Amino acid sequence: MKKSLIIVLAIAQVVFVTSMHCDKCALKIQDNVAFEKGVKDLSCDVESKKVTVTFDTAKTDTIKLAKAIEKLGYSAKVVEYKEIKKK
Amino acid sequence: MLAIIQLGLGAQSITLAEQGAMPDTTGLYRDREDSLSATVLSATRSGSYLPRGKDIRAEVITAAGLCKMACCNLAESFENSASVTVGYSDAITGARQIRLLGQNGIYTQMLDENRPVMRGLSAPFGLNYVPGQWLESIQIAKGVTSVINGVESMTGQINMEHRKPTDEKPLYIQASVMNDTKTDLNVISSLQLDEMEKWSTVILGHVSGNFEAMDMNADGFMDDPRQLQLNLSNRWLYFDPDGMQVRFGVRAIQDRRTGGQMAADGWRSDILNRSLGAYAKVGVPLNEDNTRNAAAVLDYTLQDMDSDFGPRVYDARQHSAFINLLYQDQSRESHHFTLGLSAMYDLYDETFQGTGSRTPLLDAGAFGEYTFRAEDKLSVITGLRADLFTAAGATMPRISPRLTVRWMPNEAIVLRANGGRGLRFSTPLTDNLGVLSTGKLLTGELTSHPLEDAWTFGGNATWYIGGHSDHYLSLDVFHTGFSEQMLVDYTDDNRICFYTLSSLDGGRSTTDNLQLDYSITPVRGLTLTLTGRLTDARQTLTYQGGSDIKPMTSLYKGVFNAQYATRLQKWIFDFTASVNGPCKMWAFMDYDRSPVYPLLYAQITKRFKGFDIYAGGENLTGFTQKNPIIGADNPYAAGFDASCIWGPLMGVRLYAGVRMTIWKME
């Protein structure tokens, strides 16, 4: 029997709280995570330690994005997730 | 508290962290209650800005700003700024000089992470020896600043922050080439050597060259000298979590340049510059929360220059030593004190046209600085130095007071005022190296070292529109007046005369400057800045036909800069246009004023993960100074003069480059 797989295509936004502590950390995250597949937008706020990533759910997910931040030497915990646009 | 000690930095001193340019919390700076906190990343990409929290009016050119143009070296890093004007010293050597507040760059104190640098013999080519890619930011402070690093700053301070040992970039490589064969290569490695990151180091290497001489204006002379520069620096940081920290480093430079006529047997200028330097900074906390601390700063530089300009030979060597001992008390919230002792010693060995001389110059002083702060609203900084200046066996005691007031009545308005005295020994030949690129007779007090003496007063009002740090309107007004100064007077076709201001009856030397800056980010990613400067420079000179308008000083400059970066900054577009006002010419020249001329710069950057490629153009209008060398057909005659430069010497230049970064990973 042929199985059908339904993928919901969307643009989503996730907010990570990270262990970054200065502008240089923010720049490191920007210069690397911005080039992860599927990332559409990115902003970092040093004071709140939050990294907000807008991404294409068909190309990446929050786990991959968290790993991309952790690979740079920072912890990353999802505190907010929302779909902002259905494809 | 993350940061422990402020090494030799006064409250007015412009530190990177305080500026908020790129705070590095792993490092050495104090807590940044006055920095631009809560910085969002888009702000860190801004090319330049006026920080709200600084006591003194300062303009920060960030690493992003240094990537807007070729910015091969420090001299080329100010094209976006109306505050600083950069010009050639002459049409032979490629040496650059800056002007701030309408005065020669010798009256601006250059600092390398708050250590005085580029003094004396190091000054004429110093701007060419700081690779732009070595820098993390530049801060330009106008007016008189802290007394902690001496009082040589008369019109302002330019502080350079280099890439840090704590940067998480084990490898950074930049290479660029221009269509005239000028080539640059920079390799930088920042390494943290242990788990606790107590020890870290940065190695900075630079090679640049200009391999092919061009003569685009067909005057028989090279437009830019053939040149090869090797530049190596190693900086270390030891940071103890208990508070003690040590920074030290070494640096070596060799630069050889050959300019002059294209013909192999023609008039030539050969210059070999070599420099060795070392420094150390030590900071020790004196109480648990480090609100009381002591610091020592030591610096030594050996600068050696062998040069000939046709038949003129100038060989010189300078030993330069600096020591600064400080005690800081910031234990009370509103009342901070800094006390210290410092000494600056320079020994010059010079041989000019076969005549040798040895000149020791010493400035030993004691200083104190008191800062009153009423939260973020008001700060008042009073500084006082007592110095003994010693030259040629004569000792001259001088007192130098300085005052800075900053008032922020609300979040949107910052008002500043400052004023005080500046003093420095004149070194006539090295301060005016361009005169060697002439056939003229040099007369007067060429070998004396008068103590130049100036007072600068000024103010600044900045309105951060809507309270936004990236939307502001700023107005500066500054006045500088000399009571003693070494004057250089081009008397006629055949002679240049050196004499002091005090030797003239009723002589005066003043500059008044007015500058307006406007910056706006109308949509995300687009930053527009518009700045304009007016300068009224007056100087009494005996041979300039009765006019006291200072020659070779532009009356105004306007700069427009636009930068657009796409959402993830994968594409960045930069455009800069400037209009440069006229200068009054020397009386002996065959025209009275230089023309108004435009300059255009543009660059496109494409960013990939780990590397950027960029391409751009300089002086896209192609405007150049016509006949920059007077008497080019007979360089051995007294009328030969390659030092009367007011405009660009090089036409359109195109360049392309690549920057590669390897980041430290977990």
Side-chain angles (χ1 to χ4, degrees):
Chain A
M1 186 177 149
K2 194 177 175 184
K3 285 186 179 175
S4 62
L5 182 66
I6 299 170
I7 300 172
V8 179
L9 299 174
I11 301 296
Q13 193 174 70
V14 60
V15 180
F16 297 100
V17 169
T18 70
S19 55
M20 72 171 170
H21 52 80
C22 67
D23 277 5
K24 287 190 173 181
C25 302
L27 197 59
K28 186 177 178 182
I29 291 170
Q30 164 81 25
D31 275 4
N32 286 277
V33 178
F35 293 95
E36 288 294 314
K37 194 177 174 186
V39 171
K40 300 287 183 192
D41 200 1
L42 174 64
S43 67
C44 302
D45 186 296
V46 175
E47 193 170 68
S48 67
K49 303 189 173 196
K50 285 181 178 171
V51 177
T52 304
V53 186
T54 306
F55 63 97
D56 185 337
T57 58
K59 293 182 180 171
T60 190
D61 55 45
T62 56
I63 295 169
K64 285 180 187 167
L65 292 171
K67 279 186 179 166
I69 295 172
E70 285 163 1
K71 200 173 143 192
L72 301 172
Y74 308 104
S75 62
K77 185 182 167 192
V78 177
V79 292
E80 201 179 316
Y81 176 88
K82 63 182 175 190
E83 286 183 4
I84 55 174
K85 187 178 159 190
K86 288 269 192 254
K87 267 193 169 179
Chain B
M1 189 169 169
L2 280 164
I4 310 300
I5 281 193
Q6 211 173 2
L7 283 176
L9 310 177
Q12 294 178 70
S13 294
I14 40 177
T15 71
L16 176 70
E18 285 178 325
Q19 296 286 6
M22 190 62 73
D24 174 6
T25 54
T26 58
L28 294 172
Y29 300 101
R30 292 196 58 80
D31 50 328
R32 298 178 304 281
E33 68 273 9
D34 60 344
S35 71
L36 302 176
S37 56
T39 312
V40 292
L41 198 63
S42 56
T44 66
R45 291 285 187 195
S46 176
S48 62
Y49 63 96
L50 300 178
R52 190 181 340 213
K54 288 311 301 169
D55 293 316
I56 196 159
R57 192 274 189 198
E59 179 181 331
V60 179
I61 301 174
T62 65
L66 291 165
C67 291
K68 278 185 172 190
M69 297 180 181
C71 292
C72 300
N73 58 54
L74 186 61
E76 296 169 8
S77 303
F78 299 110
E79 298 295 353
N80 284 324
S81 170
S83 303
V84 179
T85 305
V86 183
Y88 285 93
S89 305
D90 54 73
I92 302 294
T93 62
R96 301 288 195 97
Q97 60 181 10
I98 59 164
R99 281 182 185 274
L100 184 66
L101 300 185
Q103 291 287 346
N104 191 316
I106 56 176
Y107 303 114
T108 300
Q109 189 177 39
M110 302 299 295
L111 300 173
D112 177 349
E113 294 175 3
N114 288 288
R115 285 176 295 112
V117 291
M118 286 186 216
R119 302 175 55 261
L121 204 55
S122 306
F125 294 94
L127 297 171
N128 301 62
Y129 296 157
V130 181
Q133 295 298 315
W134 284 20
L135 299 179
E136 192 172 77
S137 73
I138 303 168
Q139 298 103 43
I140 305 161
K142 281 187 187 174
V144 289
T145 51
S146 174
V147 294
I148 286 173
N149 281 314
V151 285
E152 289 192 344
S153 64
M154 294 178 172
T155 54
Q157 260 182 357
I158 295 178
N159 183 45
M160 301 168 282
E161 290 288 337
H162 282 71
R163 289 173 184 265
K164 301 284 180 268
T166 49
D167 284 352
E168 296 188 340
K169 294 180 181 176
L171 187 62
Y172 174 86
I173 299 173
Q174 180 270 347
S176 65
V177 64
M178 282 191 160
N179 64 326
D180 64 355
T181 73
K182 190 171 186 312
T183 307
D184 276 69
L185 173 67
N186 292 285
V187 180
I188 300 164
S189 177
S190 296
L191 301 167
Q192 295 81 51
L193 302 177
D194 57 294
E195 277 295 306
M196 294 290 291
E197 298 193 2
K198 282 186 175 181
W199 284 96
S200 54
T201 185
V202 60
I203 302 160
L204 305 110
H206 169 88
V207 182
S208 64
N210 189 36
F211 302 107
E212 197 66 46
M214 306 268 183
D215 180 20
M216 301 303 284
N217 62 358
D219 63 358
F221 279 75
M222 300 178 205
D223 297 332
D224 229 9
R226 278 197 289 270
Q227 177 244 337
L228 179 65
Q229 181 191 146
L230 306 172
N231 204 329
L232 185 68
S233 176
N234 183 205
R235 295 166 174 243
W236 287 81
L237 164 64
Y238 171 76
F239 178 73
D240 190 311
D242 291 336
M244 182 178 168
Q245 56 185 286
V246 182
R247 282 180 179 230
F248 58 95
V250 292
R251 185 174 181 194
I253 304 167
Q254 175 168 306
D255 176 60
R256 179 179 280 280
R257 47 186 67 210
T258 302
Q261 286 184 310
M262 296 288 284
D265 57 349
W267 188 99
R268 282 292 172 94
S269 165
D270 284 302
I271 300 171
L272 175 63
N273 271 308
R274 287 171 294 183
S275 174
L276 267 178
Y279 73 91
K281 293 176 168 185
V282 181
V284 182
L286 300 177
N287 62 350
E288 201 163 305
D289 65 356
N290 190 36
T291 51
R292 286 199 296 272
N293 54 63
V297 181
L298 304 161
D299 193 300
Y300 168 77
T301 304
L302 168 64
Q303 180 76 34
D304 190 88
M305 178 172 160
D306 296 327
S307 62
D308 53 72
F309 301 78
R312 268 199 176 123
V313 178
Y314 177 61
D315 295 333
R317 175 171 283 195
Q318 177 187 2
H319 297 271
S320 192
F322 172 67
I323 181 169
N324 204 359
L325 305 172
L326 297 112
Y327 168 76
Q328 293 182 320
D329 184 336
Q330 300 180 341
S331 55
R332 296 178 193 88
E333 194 172 325
S334 300
H335 308 280
H336 297 172
F337 302 90
T338 302
L339 298 170
L341 300 167
S342 74
M344 182 86 78
Y345 177 74
D346 295 294
L347 179 63
Y348 293 88
D349 280 310
E350 295 172 282
T351 305
F352 180 50
Q353 293 178 305
T355 306
S357 64
R358 169 170 270 226
T359 312
L361 301 173
L362 173 67
D363 166 16
F367 57 86
E369 196 166 76
Y370 164 70
T371 303
F372 169 77
R373 284 189 197 284
E375 298 178 334
D376 277 348
K377 295 281 181 194
L378 176 70
S379 62
V380 180
I381 303 169
T382 54
L384 188 70
R385 270 188 81 99
D387 286 277
L388 285 174
F389 291 91
T390 306
T395 298
M396 295 160 276
R398 293 287 186 278
I399 300 289
S400 308
R402 292 185 170 191
L403 174 69
T404 295
V405 179
R406 172 178 158 273
W407 180 42
M408 207 162 93
N410 58 53
E411 280 294 300
I413 304 286
V414 183
L415 303 171
R416 300 177 176 92
N418 74 5
R421 188 183 201 182
L423 296 155
R424 73 179 287 276
F425 279 118
S426 167
T427 50
L429 263 186
T430 55
D431 290 349
N432 302 282
L433 203 72
V435 300
L436 298 181
S437 296
T438 70
K440 295 181 172 175
L441 180 67
L442 307 180
T443 61
E445 298 184 45
L446 199 60
T447 54
S448 68
H449 297 278
L451 189 60
E452 297 185 304
D453 192 344
W455 290 78
T456 294
F457 299 95
N460 160 254
T462 307
W463 174 30
Y464 291 91
I465 299 162
H468 300 293
S469 58
D470 56 0
H471 188 195
Y472 57 77
L473 182 66
S474 178
L475 175 73
D476 309 331
V477 180
F478 283 93
H479 169 86
T480 301
F482 281 84
S483 57
E484 179 62 308
Q485 188 178 23
M486 176 58 78
L487 305 179
V488 183
D489 200 350
Y490 283 55
T491 58
D492 53 38
D493 285 349
N494 304 322
R495 201 160 61 98
I496 298 173
C497 191
F498 289 74
Y499 51 87
T500 58
L501 182 65
S502 60
S503 68
L504 303 175
D505 189 21
R508 71 162 179 159
S509 176
T510 63
T511 53
D512 288 282
N513 275 271
L514 185 147
Q515 183 169 320
L516 203 58
D517 294 71
Y518 177 68
S519 180
I520 185 171
T521 304
V523 293
R524 185 180 167 190
L526 178 64
T527 304
L528 305 174
T529 57
L530 190 62
T531 65
R533 166 185 56 77
L534 288 173
T535 298
D536 180 20
R538 306 277 169 168
Q539 198 169 62
T540 307
L541 293 168
T542 309
Y543 300 94
Q544 298 307 314
S547 167
D548 68 349
I549 299 172
K550 189 178 176 187
M552 312 308 282
T553 304
S554 74
L555 296 178
Y556 59 83
K557 182 181 178 182
V559 181
F560 168 73
N561 177 258
Q563 176 179 295
Y564 177 69
T566 56
R567 193 158 280 252
L568 287 169
Q569 293 166 350
K570 291 182 178 177
W571 287 93
I572 301 172
F573 303 89
D574 290 292
F575 173 78
T576 300
S578 66
V579 58
N580 297 268
C583 310
K584 175 180 170 280
M585 297 291 100
W586 295 108
F588 82 92
M589 293 171 71
D590 58 9
Y591 53 107
D592 296 332
R593 279 187 161 208
S594 62
V596 178
Y597 64 91
L599 288 173
L600 293 181
Y601 300 81
Q603 182 177 291
I604 299 173
T605 305
K606 171 65 178 149
R607 303 181 67 236
F608 301 92
K609 188 172 185 178
F611 73 100
D612 308 342
I613 54 174
Y614 59 96
E618 293 184 347
N619 191 12
L620 292 171
T621 62
F623 180 89
T624 55
Q625 178 177 341
K626 279 185 185 165
N627 306 319
I629 301 176
I630 300 166
D633 52 342
N634 188 5
Y636 294 97
F640 171 72
D641 192 333
S643 69
C644 297
I645 305 302
W646 47 261
L649 298 174
M650 308 294 290
V652 178
R653 292 208 290 181
L654 304 174
Y655 60 87
V658 60
R659 292 184 281 261
M660 188 190 84
T661 306
I662 294 178
W663 291 89
K664 183 181 176 184
M665 294 293 174
E666 187 58 8

